[in-house]
Amino acid sequence: MGTAANGFTRSTLATQGMATPFVDAGMTDGFAPAPVAPRVPVGPPFRVSSPPRVASPFRSDRELEDELSPWNPASEIVDETLASLHDEVFDEVIHDLVGEAAAMAVESRRGDYGDAGRAALRAHQVLADRFHPLAADAERLLGEVAEAAKVLDLSSASEAEIDAALEPMRPRVAAGAPAFEQFLGSLFRKAKSLVHGAAKIVGKGIKAVASVLPIGLLLGKLASFVRPLLSKVIAFAVDKLPPQYRALAGQVAQRFGIASKITGALGQAAGAIGLPATALTGMLPTAFGSPDAPAAAAPVNSAPSASTSVSGTASAIGAPAPDAAGDADGADATTELAAPDTSMVQGEIDAQLTELLLASDEGEADEIASEYIASARAPASDPTGDLDAARTRFVRELESLGEGEDATPAVEHFLPALLPVLRMAIGAAGRDRVVDFFGGLAGQLIAPVVGPGVAPALGKAIVDTGMRTFLQAEVAAPAELHRVGAEAVARTVEDAARHVGALPAHVLGHPALLESHAREAFDRAAAANLPGSLLRPEHREGVDRGAWAPLPRAGRPYYKRYSHVFDVTLTPALAGSIPTFGGGTLASFVREQLRLTLDRPLHARVHLFEILPGGRLSHVAAGESLPALGTPHGRRMFHPLTPEVAGALLHHPRLGRRVAGGADPLRSHIGERVYYLEVEGAPRRVVDAPSRVHVSLDLVRDEARVCIFLGETLAQQIASMVRGRARAAAIVHELRTALASHARSLSAEGGHRRVHVIGGGGGALHHRHHASHVSHVSPLRRAIARASVEWAWARLAELFERSSADFVHAVESSPPGVTLRVTFEHAPGLAALRAAGKGGGTGLPVDWPPAVTPPAKIDVKPGHEH
Amino acid sequence: MIDPLEALRAQLARQVGHWLHAADQLTDFGQLTSEDGWHRLERYLGVALRAMLAKCVDRLRRQGEVLRAELAASETEAELGRLRDEIIEFRSRYLHTEAVLEFYAEAINSRTSDVLGAYLRACDTLAAKAMDVALRPLGIARPPVLTYVERGLGASILKAGLRLWDGRSISPAAAIKIARHNMQRPTAALHEVGHQVAHLARWTDDLAAALHEAARPAGPEVARLWASWASEVGADAFAFAHAGYAAVAALHDVVAGAPAHALLLLPGDPHPVAYLRVLLGRAMCTRYYGAGPWDDLARAWVHNYPLARAEGGVRVAIEASLARLPDLVEATFERRYAGFGGRALRDLVDPIRVRPDALAELERAAGGSLFTSDHWVDREALRMLAICGYRVAVAPDSVDETLKVQSAWMQRLGARTEVA
């Protein structure tokens, strides 16, 4: 046991309760811990006052709702229009387009070791050049749609007539086609929705909407959005945060008396797309609070999507989701979005189109459109650039530490850079105390692994831990090993600081509690960044010789890869019990997307990854060369690694990470872990879209819609049964069994993304914002949603009994997969939900569930229709 | 005039320089193979081939460096004499290495367009799927497959795992030649895959013994002949098990040449006499499918190739074999083999799955989606090949239409495979 000049030894630390998670390995012998005692804050604890809850009288009928909130048809039009414009596939397409552009940007920078600023500019230019033809194709497509739409009389045209007139313009997009082609397909659907939206408004004959502008003009405006939209995509791709369209068109909003609703909700949506707190202070209205304001009073963590779907608890970059920040039990959940949320693109476009539909004249429309176009010309911000630079400095400072030198100052230099991306639940003064305390604590805890004698050995240990295959080429010299070690220590400090920053106010304000949580965070961060062999066994999260390495080594790392690959045997029972993104299970993934049979155990290798700040699943997919990876589209090959999954699949539950609000493949969180399943015999290609079940509870139209997308495999299997004249009961049984986990997931964590509420109690925008604060679907919504799905099975059984010709025709048509939309007009339970939205009771009707299945209208369409 | 020893040294030095430079040139695959060709390979196959070729050239260059060092160290006439021998040896190694490179370069370069590239990737996939069916239950790793197009009548294979012309490199992939005329009917590739499977499972010797036993009642000479044909009988059986009657009809069309050839028995030829091969295929159909269009094919076959035209000894052997065909089929498909882990060929690849009624059932189940859905293309590509081959065999008037359908779904299959 070494004794440093200052007299401290590791045993001294231990007696002070400051044991580090590191083993007393020979590597650290001779190096004493830093001599600085933690500077524990002594200030008064903080109090966070919660807004008082006001119980509303329990009345659930429509009349009461009208009393509470006078019916505003224009408001409902906004809700309805936004709902009808929203297309969840559009979000995916934009995400993939960003991924593809990011991969192009990386490619354009390959081998460029010059000035980073210039390289970024060049990448931007390369992308602009590559996107130019896409923009031209998109504008041409919208021009053709406009020509076809001009002949329609929107006051009398039925939905079917509109579809028939526009369908010939639909671009043919093959399954697995590049994102560019998918984008054109999505844009077509958006244009079609715009035409339908205009027809609905015209059909309603609302006084306030004297007339809808000519559809050709509206589609022309949509065409004018294409290039600004693609500019934003490019900004996302080069790790910038594109400027947002914010509250606008005051005239329109005020004319309809919905100004506060639109401006507020859009502003919040803008604030949720990943803006760091410092930027928020400068850009958002004061109503959104400042970083110093208590989280409970600063609703910046609204859903990241300005869409009708509830977009999870995803928070702004660096800001913990409210439920996690306010609940110490949720402290082990990953809460921070890793990269700006690309779904803002659709949110903005939908809001723009809605405003255009409500515009009174061409001048107003011009004004609305020009504001959006102008927003795209504003410079994009760089939300994590400062942090990247600070991290680099921190690593250098750690590298330059002398023998036995205290690392605390280096930590303290680094922490301020983290503050803008942390949204701590305490005021500025308390924050300084927490930072001061954490700096001292971290300085001591990392003492055994910093310094010229130790850090290279740490680097070597990391490299030796099975990582030679992907690190050796770049790492060989002692200086490089030193850097690898210092980087791991820096990431340990950063991860721990992020975790501490997300702690609730009562923990941050209590010294003993704070120290306990901070040490726990440090242990956890060390386990996530340093080889298991260097940690005490009780702190290891995986195999002894496992370690995480940031990748890619050249340039900005977006993810980490675990050095150990697990061999697993996937039995049907195990695969059926492991949930994956979107409500499916590993079993459905294997059957439907890998198209393998699970009638016997499959041998698979499990590769683990962790998302770093700035990272998306598409970065991991593009950066890896495993089968079906190597391109951003491979993102569908990943599955969320929760502690439960890590326990069941790998027998190492600590390798899993919980994501607040449930994992979402389009919105990765910092520290989120995913895995890739390398299954023997799986095809080496990008997999198709999985089956999904969504429920829309539309309070505007007073209907519940169950939207079931059958992926191509399931659709074909059902079609085979139909052709084989299987009984309707057998077909529905097959459907229910295949989609059982999807139905269950409606009420599980993350289920709120699959149960949409439209209108009522403040409109769709209100619901988006409101719902962002909960990761679970409320019991009322859950009950209605689940009942709707059960009703849907019953009505589908009748469809298959009656005639399946439409279904078979849709299966045999392009695009792949089939959408079954089952609509229940005046569905039971909606009145109660509407009342609950107005602050009324939250209970179900006494006669719930209804004894009779409500009547339904069933639409069968090829492909994934929203 | 310089010293004779120096003069000798100078001549050798120039040759060393020449061959080393030539070896260096081989490192640039771009001189042999177009980048487009590489990009039309499946990604893992491309990686495996590049790695093998790079290793092959690197080995040659290292040998060249030894030569250069020896040149520097050689002083006496004897030493220079040894060096001269080594240069000659190096030339030979160079040519062998070049042969390796050129073989693969030509195979890769045969993917002359994106359309052909996708089509051949589909052939790669079909061959790989056919191997997987047999090898996965045996726990044997499947090698990558590289199909290529070349002129000629028949297909061929350079099996994975064999030593290549340079004597050191190992073939990293099953390289299967598909004859250009048969590109749209690639069941012959399944025959070649059968060779690879037999090689990996070490089946051929056991099959030879089984065929010998089954043919023994026809006499020792006939039994010996059938044993010597085991590798080809096994490959034909494998193709039949995967493609059914389509494989038999395609084989018929390849071997239906001049009567002299169909009735020719070449000493040492591993192929059975073509006359017997076709009738053995018919016997396979009869064994598993009963009566059918293969009976007409057999009738026409014996009509077109009267045994009377066979050479005396060959005719005797053929006649003696005819009665043994059912037993030979039985021995091939139903006997359990050690190489198959105690299973029969039928247990690994069941020909019943491609019986005409089973194919019709697949067509009914998949309906209008059969050739257009990625689901069916992924799941049933081999049986789709069997369906198209069957249609070609029984509905010759619709050959064009059938082959267009086949070409379209194979394009779809190939386009979905990730490329290098």
Side-chain angles (χ1 to χ4, degrees):
Chain A
M1 185 71 65
T3 302
N6 54 49
F8 278 82
T9 63
R10 269 188 291 279
S11 59
T12 313
L13 265 183
T15 55
Q16 290 179 339
M18 293 298 296
T20 74
F22 310 114
V23 294
D24 289 333
M27 190 199 85
T28 58
D29 279 351
F31 295 96
V36 183
R39 282 164 275 182
V40 178
V42 291
F46 290 90
R47 292 185 305 168
V48 178
S49 57
S50 302
R53 292 179 179 275
V54 180
S56 299
F58 180 75
R59 287 173 65 187
S60 59
D61 56 3
R62 181 70 183 248
E63 287 74 25
L64 174 60
E65 176 206 334
D66 291 343
E67 286 171 28
L68 291 168
S69 173
W71 184 61
N72 182 342
S75 171
E76 296 211 333
I77 280 184
V78 170
D79 287 345
E80 191 178 353
T81 306
L82 282 168
S84 65
L85 285 172
H86 178 72
D87 174 4
E88 64 186 21
V89 179
F90 196 94
D91 282 344
E92 289 196 37
V93 169
I94 294 296
H95 183 276
D96 287 347
L97 202 55
V98 169
E100 202 157 291
M104 287 177 195
V106 168
E107 190 61 35
S108 76
R109 290 169 175 168
R110 203 176 291 283
D112 192 336
Y113 301 103
D115 176 65
R118 274 192 196 169
L121 273 178
R122 194 161 44 251
H124 199 280
Q125 189 54 49
V126 166
L127 291 183
D129 291 346
R130 296 267 187 97
F131 273 60
H132 180 75
L134 176 64
D137 287 349
E139 287 162 350
R140 193 177 312 117
L141 168 70
L142 292 173
E144 289 168 3
V145 173
E147 283 303 312
K150 274 178 190 168
V151 301
L152 290 166
D153 176 2
L154 294 186
S155 61
S156 60
S158 67
E159 285 194 16
E161 284 167 345
I162 294 173
D163 284 348
L166 303 186
E167 203 54 32
M169 308 301 131
R170 181 192 288 273
R172 297 289 155 213
V173 181
F180 277 34
E181 286 181 38
Q182 303 279 4
F183 174 69
L184 293 177
S186 281
L187 203 60
F188 169 79
R189 288 199 299 275
K190 187 67 75 185
K192 203 168 83 168
S193 298
L194 179 64
V195 179
H196 280 297
K200 275 178 196 157
I201 292 175
V202 170
K204 280 183 189 283
I206 295 164
K207 277 185 193 170
V209 186
S211 63
V212 172
L213 294 173
I215 191 64
L217 186 143
L218 293 173
L219 287 164
K221 295 296 179 202
L222 175 58
S224 73
F225 295 162
V226 167
R227 286 174 197 267
L229 183 158
L230 292 177
S231 293
K232 289 170 188 253
V233 165
I234 290 173
F236 278 126
V238 294
D239 301 329
K240 294 282 196 287
L241 180 64
Q244 307 101 55
Y245 152 78
R246 292 191 295 131
L248 52 72
Q251 303 165 31
V252 174
Q254 278 167 18
R255 179 154 56 85
F256 293 102
I258 52 176
S260 61
K261 187 184 298 179
I262 288 189
T263 55
L266 290 178
Q268 286 160 14
I273 50 83
L275 209 58
T278 45
L280 279 170
T281 7
M283 296 182 67
L284 291 185
T286 51
F288 297 111
S290 72
D292 294 339
V300 294
N301 297 310
S302 58
S305 165
S307 63
T308 52
S309 67
V310 178
S311 304
T313 56
S315 55
I317 287 184
D323 53 350
D327 177 8
D329 292 340
D332 66 337
T334 304
T335 60
E336 303 169 32
L337 269 190
D341 187 348
T342 54
S343 64
M344 71 168 273
V345 171
Q346 176 169 216
E348 290 179 352
I349 289 289
D350 287 355
Q352 280 282 345
L353 296 178
T354 303
E355 298 244 22
L356 286 170
L357 282 170
L358 299 176
S360 57
D361 55 43
E362 202 170 331
E364 197 171 83
D366 287 345
E367 194 181 327
I368 293 167
S370 61
E371 193 164 339
Y372 178 74
I373 293 165
S375 78
R377 292 200 188 112
S381 61
D382 186 355
T384 52
D386 290 345
L387 178 59
D388 286 345
R391 191 186 298 115
T392 305
R393 278 197 304 276
F394 183 32
V395 170
R396 283 201 197 113
E397 286 186 45
L398 289 176
E399 282 181 279
S400 63
L401 286 176
E403 208 66 70
E405 196 176 344
D406 182 12
T408 306
V411 176
E412 288 176 338
H413 293 162
F414 172 60
L415 290 179
L418 264 180
L419 287 177
V421 296
L422 299 180
R423 186 157 195 85
M424 295 172 73
I426 53 174
R431 192 180 60 200
D432 289 345
R433 275 189 291 277
V434 171
V435 168
D436 200 29
F437 165 81
F438 183 79
L441 179 73
Q444 289 193 67
L445 291 174
I446 64 174
V449 286
V450 294
V454 177
L458 171 62
K460 187 169 186 309
I462 293 172
V463 171
D464 284 346
T465 312
M467 296 190 171
R468 289 208 169 271
T469 48
F470 52 95
L471 285 184
Q472 191 183 31
E474 295 92 353
V475 180
E480 273 299 290
L481 293 175
H482 195 160
R483 173 151 302 168
V484 168
E487 283 172 354
V489 173
R491 288 200 179 276
T492 301
V493 173
E494 181 177 337
D495 286 359
R498 284 181 186 278
H499 195 82
V500 168
L503 290 171
H506 74 273
V507 174
L508 293 174
H510 193 287
L513 214 48
L514 174 60
E515 182 179 337
S516 170
H517 276 275
R519 290 182 54 193
E520 186 184 321
F522 190 85
D523 291 346
R524 196 173 108 126
N529 289 286
L530 304 176
S533 57
L534 300 184
L535 303 168
R536 296 180 195 284
E538 66 270 26
H539 291 299
R540 292 173 194 162
E541 58 176 19
V543 297
D544 292 353
R545 289 188 54 76
W548 293 91
L551 291 170
R553 285 293 298 164
R556 178 183 193 166
Y558 290 106
Y559 66 95
K560 290 195 284 191
R561 181 178 182 171
Y562 196 57
S563 62
H564 183 78
V565 178
F566 294 84
D567 286 306
V568 300
T569 300
L570 206 58
T571 63
L574 180 65
S577 67
I578 294 181
T580 185
F581 291 120
T585 62
L586 272 194
S588 59
F589 172 79
V590 168
R591 270 197 313 266
E592 290 192 33
Q593 292 176 272
L594 299 185
R595 295 190 173 129
L596 297 175
T597 49
L598 247 178
D599 49 4
R600 61 184 173 83
L602 293 178
H603 297 294
R605 286 159 60 76
V606 182
H607 305 256
L608 311 187
F609 303 94
E610 180 182 311
I611 303 296
L612 289 175
R616 297 187 173 89
L617 285 186
S618 52
H619 285 116
V620 190
E624 293 293 317
S625 59
L626 290 159
L629 301 185
T631 74
H633 310 290
R635 66 170 175 81
R636 285 195 179 126
M637 297 297 289
F638 296 110
H639 311 279
L641 187 67
T642 61
E644 293 75 19
V645 171
L649 199 59
L650 314 175
H651 308 298
H652 288 284
R654 285 185 183 173
L655 281 170
R657 286 286 180 272
R658 190 164 285 113
V659 175
D664 179 348
L666 302 188
R667 299 169 188 88
S668 297
H669 286 62
I670 296 172
E672 180 176 346
R673 289 184 178 169
V674 294
Y675 65 97
Y676 165 92
L677 206 60
E678 187 180 5
V679 185
E680 180 190 5
R684 297 180 189 279
R685 55 158 175 76
V686 172
V687 298
D688 299 334
S691 297
R692 302 169 199 211
V693 176
H694 283 233
V695 177
S696 295
L697 304 177
D698 190 337
L699 302 181
V700 176
R701 300 171 82 161
D702 198 25
E703 64 186 28
R705 292 187 295 274
V706 179
C707 204
I708 303 170
F709 170 66
L710 307 183
E712 177 66 357
T713 291
L714 185 54
Q716 292 293 345
Q717 284 171 351
I718 297 299
S720 292
M721 293 181 77
V722 170
R723 293 188 192 103
R725 295 193 168 77
R727 290 184 309 113
I731 294 173
V732 167
H733 175 70
E734 184 71 20
L735 276 175
R736 279 192 71 230
T737 307
L739 299 171
S741 67
H742 294 78
R744 274 197 308 273
S745 76
L746 295 176
S747 50
E749 193 174 46
H752 56 287
R753 281 190 286 273
R754 294 182 281 284
V755 181
H756 307 167
V757 177
I758 299 158
L765 292 170
H766 167 82
H767 276 270
R768 274 201 301 282
H769 165 62
H770 175 73
S772 71
H773 291 271
V774 291
S775 59
H776 291 81
V777 179
S778 72
L780 188 57
R781 283 202 289 165
R782 181 169 59 211
I784 302 169
R786 293 198 69 164
S788 301
V789 173
E790 280 301 311
W791 300 333
W793 298 138
R795 293 302 172 213
L796 284 172
E798 290 162 12
L799 170 83
F800 287 117
E801 227 157 48
R802 212 170 46 241
S803 162
S804 305
D806 287 350
F807 180 82
V808 171
H809 177 71
V811 170
E812 293 181 358
S813 304
S814 180
V818 170
T819 299
L820 300 166
R821 191 171 62 193
V822 189
T823 305
F824 301 96
E825 288 182 3
H826 314 300
L830 293 184
L833 185 61
R834 189 179 296 111
K838 298 293 184 190
T842 57
L844 282 161
V846 288
D847 56 349
W848 189 266
V852 181
T853 301
K857 177 181 154 230
I858 300 177
D859 294 305
V860 184
K861 293 192 174 181
H864 192 174
E865 290 284 331
H866 65 286
Chain B
M1 190 169 153
I2 60 171
D3 177 274
L5 207 56
E6 277 306 307
L8 178 57
R9 195 170 192 289
Q11 306 311 310
L12 293 175
R14 189 181 62 251
Q15 290 181 66
V16 168
H18 170 83
W19 288 111
L20 260 62
H21 180 75
D24 280 346
Q25 293 296 299
L26 292 181
T27 58
D28 181 5
F29 297 155
Q31 291 189 10
L32 290 163
T33 314
S34 74
E35 272 305 306
D36 285 345
W38 281 109
H39 288 308
R40 289 172 187 138
L41 295 179
E42 187 268 326
R43 177 152 57 104
Y44 268 40
L45 172 62
V47 169
L49 284 178
R50 276 186 193 270
M52 184 279 291
L53 295 179
K55 201 169 167 184
C56 178
V57 175
D58 185 57
R59 187 181 300 116
L60 180 72
R61 292 178 69 208
R62 281 187 279 114
Q63 289 162 348
E65 290 305 321
V66 172
L67 211 57
R68 194 195 300 277
E70 287 186 355
L71 172 66
S74 298
E75 293 175 351
T76 66
E77 187 174 351
E79 286 169 343
L80 288 171
R82 277 197 297 277
L83 178 63
R84 188 182 60 237
D85 292 344
E86 281 168 17
I87 290 172
I88 292 167
E89 177 61 26
F90 185 81
R91 285 159 53 112
S92 171
R93 284 175 183 160
Y94 172 88
L95 293 174
H96 285 133
T97 302
E98 193 177 52
V100 172
L101 264 64
E102 288 214 336
F103 172 79
Y104 287 102
E106 282 177 21
I108 294 165
N109 285 341
S110 77
R111 302 188 177 203
T112 50
S113 69
D114 287 340
V115 171
L116 185 54
Y119 195 87
L120 288 174
R121 280 199 302 281
C123 291
D124 296 347
T125 304
L126 285 167
K129 280 176 181 282
M131 261 194 268
D132 279 341
V133 172
L135 295 181
R136 198 170 296 151
L138 304 179
I140 298 175
R142 171 181 58 76
V145 181
L146 169 67
T147 56
Y148 62 100
V149 189
E150 216 175 74
R151 66 186 174 82
L153 272 180
S156 64
I157 183 171
L158 172 63
K159 292 192 280 278
L162 294 187
R163 206 165 286 284
L164 296 173
W165 297 273
D166 63 350
R168 299 286 295 276
S169 301
I170 301 293
S171 162
I176 297 174
K177 173 200 151 185
I178 297 174
R180 183 164 283 108
H181 75 89
N182 238 350
M183 266 182 62
Q184 305 292 335
R185 295 173 70 190
T187 49
L190 300 176
H191 169 98
E192 304 306 329
V193 166
H195 283 301
Q196 181 73 61
V197 169
H199 171 72
L200 292 170
R202 301 173 189 277
W203 180 40
T204 307
D205 287 349
D206 284 352
L207 177 61
L211 293 177
H212 190 277
E213 188 184 327
R216 191 177 292 149
E221 187 54 28
V222 171
R224 191 192 58 74
L225 272 175
W226 278 100
S228 72
W229 294 335
S231 65
E232 294 298 329
V233 169
D236 280 349
F238 193 82
F240 170 76
H242 271 303
Y245 179 49
V248 177
L251 169 70
H252 168 278
D253 293 355
V254 168
V255 298
H261 285 106
L263 296 164
L264 184 66
L265 191 159
L266 286 174
D269 186 348
H271 297 87
V273 177
Y275 187 91
L276 283 175
R277 268 183 96 182
V278 170
L279 294 181
L280 181 68
R282 183 267 189 118
M284 293 175 192
C285 292
T286 304
R287 165 66 176 82
Y288 292 104
Y289 309 153
W294 37 89
D295 296 327
D296 291 337
L297 177 143
R299 271 192 291 274
W301 178 251
V302 297
H303 172 79
N304 290 336
Y305 300 96
L307 265 184
R309 298 182 68 168
E311 185 268 327
V314 177
R315 191 176 69 239
V316 170
I318 291 173
E319 284 171 342
S321 294
L322 288 176
R324 306 309 311 155
L325 293 181
D327 286 344
L328 290 162
V329 170
E330 203 70 13
T332 304
F333 283 91
E334 301 292 337
R335 182 166 296 196
R336 296 172 186 277
Y337 291 98
F340 291 162
R343 300 176 184 86
L345 174 61
R346 186 185 169 175
D347 297 333
L348 295 176
V349 191
D350 188 354
I352 297 299
R353 292 189 75 247
V354 285
R355 193 165 64 185
D357 59 348
L359 297 178
E361 170 57 23
L362 171 60
E363 289 189 75
R364 186 205 56 72
S369 302
L370 180 58
F371 298 112
T372 58
S373 163
D374 288 336
H375 165 77
W376 296 109
V377 172
D378 279 350
R379 290 287 294 267
E380 296 287 2
L382 283 166
R383 293 211 292 165
M384 286 159 67
L385 183 68
I387 288 174
C388 289
Y390 184 77
R391 285 184 184 176
V392 168
V394 300
D397 293 342
S398 315
V399 167
D400 281 350
E401 192 185 326
T402 301
L403 294 184
K404 267 183 200 161
V405 168
Q406 171 161 306
S407 180
W409 70 257
M410 285 189 65
Q411 278 294 325
R412 180 183 281 269
L413 177 61
R416 286 165 59 75
T417 310
E418 59 184 4
V419 292

